[in-house]
Amino acid sequence: MKRPLSLTARLALLFAALAASLLIVVGVVLGRAVEAHFVELDSHELLGKLALIENHLLTSVTSEACDTLAQRLDDALVGHDMVGVLLRDAEGSIIYVVHPGHFGAPQLAGQRLPAGVASWEKDGRHYVGRERTFALPSAAGEGSRVTALVGLDITHHAQFLDTMRRGLWLGISVAAAVAAMLGWWAAHHGLAPLRRVTATAGGLSAERLGERLAEADAPTEVHELVEALNGMLDRLESAFQRLSDFSADIAHELRTPVSNLMTQTAVCLSRPRSADEYRDVLASNLEEYERIARMVGDMLFIAKAENGRLPHPDETVALATEARALVEFYEALAEERGVKMDVRGDARVRGDALMLRRAISNLLSNAIRHAHAGGTIEITIADEGPQVALRVRNHGDTIAADQLSRVFERFHRASADRQRHGEGAGLGLAITSAIVEAHGGTMSAESADGVTTFGMLLPRERAPS
C-alpha cells in the first residue's frame, strides 16, 4: 500500500506551488510591460525618422535641393545602422534607398505595407516598418508624391526579450525550489510540537501515566490539542489510580475476614466436634461472610459513584422528614449509648431520596458511635444562599487536624481509638461523600474542643418558574 505524503511534504509542495504561481503571474506581467515599452520606443523611432524624411522632402523646393536630397539624407542617417529608408516616386520607382538589406523582397518590389506599424523577418532578423506618402512642393512638380518606407531592425529587442524570458523562467524555477525548501523547513520546525506529542504519547504506559505534554512551547494551533490530551491523561491517571487503590484496599480489607475464616475452619477441622460446635463455627463464618458481602457492596457503590454510574432520580426530598425518620430508626441504639438526638430546621433539595437517606444515616450512625454518653447529637438543616446545609454535630473525641482531610477516604479511620468505637470498615463517610458529590454538593468536617461536625452542602431546590 502506497504511503501518503507526509504533512511536511504537502505543505512544502503547496508553498512551492503558490510561490511559483505568484512568480509566473509577475513574470508574465513584467514581460508584457517590457514588450509594450519596446513597441512604443520602436513606434516613436519610426515616426521620428518619417518626420526627418518629411522635413528634408518639404525643403527640397529647388532643383539644387532636389539634387542634394540623397546626400542630405545620408548625412542625417549617419550612425543609424539599424534604420533602413526606401523612397519611391509617384510611379513606384526607387529614388533613394539606404540599408536595402532591411527590406524584404515584397517591399523592394513595391508592395505596400498595411497601415500602422508592420513587422517582418529576414535572414533570422526581426524588423518593423512604417510607410507614409508625402506631397512634394511645386518646384519638384505640382501634385507629385513620394512614398517613404522606414524599416527598423529590432533584432536586439527580440534577443533581449528572449534572454529576459529565459532568465525569468530560470529564476521562477530556482525560486520555486527555494520556496519548497523554505516551506519544508518551516513546516518541519512548525510541526515539531506535534512530533513531541507523538513521542510522548508513544512512551506512555500504565507505569508512566504521570508524564504530561509540554504546553509552554506549544504553538497556538496545537495548544488546545495539548490541553485536551493532558486532560485526557489526567483522567486516565485518576482512573488508573482509583483502580489501583480499589484493588489494594479491597485486598487489604478482605485479608482479615478471609484469614479469620481460614483459621476458624482449620481449628474446627483439627479434631472431631459435635454438631453444636460445627453449628457455632458456621454461624461465626456466616457473620464474616455477611461482613465481606457488605464490604464488597459498599466498594461497588463507591466505584459506581466515582465513575458517574449511579442512577439520577430527580425528586423533591424533604431533609427534615428524612432526618426525623432516621432519628426514630436509631432511637434504640442512641438510648443504649446514652445520647439524645435533636433535629432543627427544614429544607428541600432535588435528588435521590434513598441515596440521600443513606448519606444522612451514615453521618448519624457515625455520630452515635463516637458521641460521649449523656451528650446530644444535633442535626441542623438550613438554607445558606443557593445551597442547603445539613450538619450533624456530636460531642466526643476530637479528630486530629491532620486526619480531618482524610476522613472521607475509603477505609480510613481517624485513629485507633475511634476504630474501637465501631465495627465498620471505614467506608461510611466515603459513601456519604460519593453520594453528596453525585448530587452536586460537597462535604465538610470540623472538629475542635470535643465537638465534631460533619456537614453536607447540597444545591437548593429551585422554585418552579
Side-chain angles (χ1 to χ4, degrees):
M1 183 177 178
K2 186 178 180 181
R3 189 174 183 180
L5 286 175
S6 66
L7 185 57
T8 301
R10 295 182 188 184
L11 290 175
L13 291 177
L14 178 62
F15 198 65
L18 291 176
S21 300
L22 180 61
L23 290 174
I24 287 174
V25 172
V26 173
V28 170
V29 172
L30 179 61
R32 290 186 177 180
V34 172
E35 187 175 357
H37 177 67
F38 282 146
V39 169
E40 185 179 2
L41 288 179
D42 295 340
S43 179
H44 280 292
E45 182 71 14
L46 292 173
L47 290 175
K49 291 300 181 286
L50 286 173
L52 174 67
I53 293 170
E54 181 183 17
N55 180 61
H56 281 284
L57 290 175
L58 294 178
T59 57
S60 299
V61 295
T62 62
S63 58
E64 291 79 7
C66 289
D67 294 339
T68 61
L69 175 61
Q71 183 60 46
R72 286 186 287 117
L73 287 175
D74 288 342
D75 294 340
L77 295 173
V78 169
H80 295 269
D81 297 336
M82 310 305 292
V83 179
V85 177
L86 180 64
L87 299 180
R88 295 178 184 277
D89 58 15
E91 289 74 23
S93 301
I94 298 175
I95 60 174
Y96 177 79
V97 64
V98 64
H99 298 138
H102 286 33
F103 303 102
Q107 288 86 29
L108 292 174
Q111 181 177 340
R112 299 294 300 269
L113 293 180
V117 178
S119 62
W120 65 88
E121 291 185 16
K122 182 182 179 182
D123 299 332
R125 301 186 71 83
H126 299 270
Y127 299 93
V128 293
R130 197 177 187 113
E131 193 174 52
R132 181 175 295 177
T133 299
F134 302 102
L136 296 181
S138 58
E142 187 65 30
S144 62
R145 294 175 178 275
V146 171
T147 301
L149 172 61
V150 177
L152 182 62
D153 187 351
I154 60 167
T155 302
H156 60 294
H157 290 171
Q159 291 175 345
F160 175 80
L161 289 174
D162 289 341
T163 303
M164 186 189 72
R165 291 190 184 99
R166 287 194 296 271
L168 281 175
W169 281 114
L170 178 62
I172 290 173
S173 300
V174 173
V178 173
M181 289 188 291
L182 290 176
W184 182 91
W185 180 85
H188 183 75
H189 283 74
L191 295 175
L194 284 180
R195 289 194 297 276
R196 288 195 290 272
V197 168
T198 303
T200 304
L204 290 176
S205 63
E207 293 76 21
R208 298 177 59 186
L209 280 178
E211 292 189 12
R212 293 294 180 271
L213 306 176
E215 299 182 13
D217 60 342
T220 305
E221 291 79 1
V222 299
H223 196 272
E224 293 184 0
L225 174 63
V226 171
E227 286 184 339
L229 289 175
N230 281 339
M232 181 189 69
L233 291 174
D234 288 339
R235 293 190 293 274
L236 283 176
E237 184 181 19
S238 177
F240 269 80
Q241 187 60 46
R242 288 200 301 271
L243 180 62
S244 177
D245 293 344
F246 179 85
S247 301
D249 292 343
I250 200 68
H252 179 268
E253 295 301 324
L254 287 178
R255 183 175 57 185
T256 300
V258 169
S259 177
N260 292 340
L261 288 170
M262 293 176 63
T263 302
Q264 289 186 111
T265 303
V267 171
C268 180
L269 296 176
S270 61
R271 61 181 176 81
R273 300 179 184 275
S274 64
D276 290 339
E277 289 176 326
Y278 284 123
R279 191 175 294 105
D280 291 341
V281 172
L282 289 176
S284 177
N285 287 352
L286 179 60
E287 293 180 358
E288 293 295 339
Y289 288 134
E290 290 175 347
R291 179 183 174 190
I292 293 173
R294 286 195 303 272
M295 188 185 306
V296 171
D298 290 344
M299 289 298 294
L300 289 176
F301 182 88
I302 294 175
K304 288 182 179 179
E306 290 178 344
N307 289 282
R309 297 173 56 188
L310 290 179
H312 296 87
D314 189 19
E315 55 187 321
T316 300
V317 181
L319 295 179
T321 301
E322 300 296 335
R324 290 191 177 92
L326 289 170
V327 166
E328 184 177 353
F329 177 79
Y330 283 107
E331 186 174 5
L333 178 61
E335 288 181 357
E336 180 182 341
R337 300 275 184 174
V339 296
K340 297 180 180 179
M341 294 179 288
D342 183 30
V343 179
R344 299 177 185 175
D346 191 11
R348 296 175 183 273
V349 296
R350 300 289 297 181
D352 187 326
L354 291 179
M355 286 200 296
L356 290 174
R357 181 181 300 174
R358 184 174 184 178
I360 300 171
S361 174
N362 288 341
L363 294 181
L364 190 55
S365 63
N366 183 71
I368 293 173
R369 283 199 303 271
H370 299 291
H372 288 167
T376 299
I377 299 173
E378 301 172 0
I379 304 173
T380 58
I381 304 169
D383 289 332
E384 294 185 358
Q387 295 179 313
V388 169
L390 185 150
R391 293 185 173 86
V392 178
R393 181 179 296 108
N394 71 276
H395 295 265
D397 296 332
T398 301
I399 302 175
D402 60 337
Q403 298 295 320
L404 274 178
S405 60
R406 300 185 57 194
V407 293
F408 298 111
E409 296 179 3
R410 288 172 298 186
F411 301 112
H412 180 76
R413 299 174 179 87
S415 65
D417 182 62
R418 290 180 68 85
Q419 184 177 355
R420 286 194 298 270
H421 287 289
E423 300 173 351
L427 292 172
L429 291 178
I431 291 175
T432 300
S433 179
I435 292 174
V436 172
E437 289 179 1
H439 283 76
T442 57
M443 289 295 300
S444 64
E446 300 174 358
S447 185
D449 301 327
V451 178
T452 300
T453 304
F454 287 96
M456 298 166 47
L457 286 174
L458 296 167
R460 189 172 58 180
E461 180 186 29
R462 294 182 179 178
S465 57

